[in-house]
Amino acid sequence: MNHVPAFGVGTFRLQGQVVVDSVRKALEVGYRAIDTAQIYGNEAEVGQAIREAAIPREQLFITTKIWVENLSSSKLIPSLQDSLRKLGTEQVDLTLIHWPAFQNVTLEEAMTALAEAKALGLTRLIGVSNFNIDLTQQAIAAVGKSEIATNQIELSPYLQNPKLVSFLQSQQIDVTSYMTLAYGKVLGEPVIAQIAQKHQATPAQVALAWALQRGFAVIPSSTKRENLASNLLAQNLQLTDSEMAEMARLERNGREVNPEGLAPLWD
């Protein structure tokens, strides 16, 4: 599998037993892709949930992300090895550069170290996160287009990022959408509620189905088993062309995540 699975479970902001329970429930209801990051401080708990679920490792797709302090050639591989120890696996499926904040490190050095981690078998695929078009082009120049499995970016019906999305799709780089529900804000959107009613679906399912139909991978998180199970059903929901057009009109550049000192200049 050289592509990112279309549906995974996110673990951002989940800590301790909460993340153990969330990931375990997700695996029980059918998720097989799990997204974590060094900075989330929960890799060990994600690893614990995976062990407790006792699902064969080859059926899982585990993603982690390298934090900005670990992007130098001397730190990236040791930091990933530390992540692997916490996760209890010899290899993750995907490793991303979390934010393009290169403190005393060039983008080329970080990408080269990431490619080396792949060559060493520490990760099956590599990619980037929160990169704009210019930075993605630099990453391609550093390691080659075929090496970059995905760019994980904030996308929701309120933030559709058309320039960046069409650039990535033109380069055959998978788009992974995080914050697809915009911290729950899109769940109160009347247009989405109307579409949901027509399909006897939930607003969350409609927003996730929209992203899937745009060709994005999604990684929603929840601590509730019923929401985790319900979100998965978005894969069975087919929106009509006119509904997709209605969703397209919801764009309002509604960015939720834009940390100073980490985020690039967005396209």
Side-chain angles (χ1 to χ4, degrees), residues 38-223:
Q38 293 176 344
I39 198 68
Y40 297 173
N42 63 15
E43 288 171 317
E45 288 80 2
V46 168
Q48 182 189 332
I50 289 168
R51 276 194 304 284
E52 288 175 5
I55 287 160
R57 174 64 185 91
E58 63 274 11
Q59 289 181 23
L60 299 175
F61 189 100
I62 305 170
T63 300
T64 195
K65 310 180 199 79
I66 306 290
W67 188 240
V68 296
E69 287 158 11
N70 298 325
L71 293 177
S72 69
S73 56
S74 62
K75 287 186 179 171
L76 191 145
I77 285 169
S79 83
L80 180 54
Q81 288 167 327
D82 190 45
S83 293
L84 294 177
R85 274 191 294 277
K86 289 174 180 166
L87 287 161
T89 184
E90 289 175 13
Q91 181 188 56
V92 283
D93 297 279
L94 175 64
T95 305
L96 308 176
I97 287 178
H98 201 156
W99 286 95
F102 301 101
Q103 307 152 349
N104 308 317
V105 178
T106 63
L107 180 148
E108 189 178 9
E109 180 183 337
M111 289 307 301
T112 304
L114 193 57
E116 196 185 329
K118 179 183 171 184
L120 290 170
L122 304 176
T123 183
R124 227 163 37 73
L125 301 170
I126 61 173
V128 297
S129 183
N130 301 301
F131 276 40
N132 61 16
I133 293 173
D134 175 49
L135 291 164
T136 307
Q137 285 171 324
Q138 289 181 48
I140 290 169
V143 296
K145 186 170 72 174
S146 61
E147 281 294 284
I148 301 166
T150 192
N151 186 0
Q152 184 180 122
I153 51 177
E154 183 188 347
L155 285 166
S156 77
Y158 289 160
L159 178 74
Q160 300 190 19
N161 241 322
K163 278 188 196 159
L164 180 53
V165 165
S166 81
F167 169 75
L168 293 170
Q169 291 181 329
S170 77
Q171 300 297 307
Q172 282 87 49
I173 293 173
D174 286 352
V175 177
T176 303
S177 158
Y178 74 79
M179 219 57 79
T180 316
L181 307 179
Y183 281 134
K185 288 180 185 173
V186 301
L187 304 183
E189 169 58 51
V191 169
I192 291 177
Q194 225 172 3
I195 295 170
Q197 214 173 357
K198 265 190 251 172
H199 289 271
Q200 294 178 308
T202 67
Q205 286 167 350
V206 171
L208 293 166
W210 162 81
L212 293 168
Q213 272 176 249
R214 292 292 318 276
F216 311 154
V218 294
I219 43 170
S221 69
S222 179
T223 55

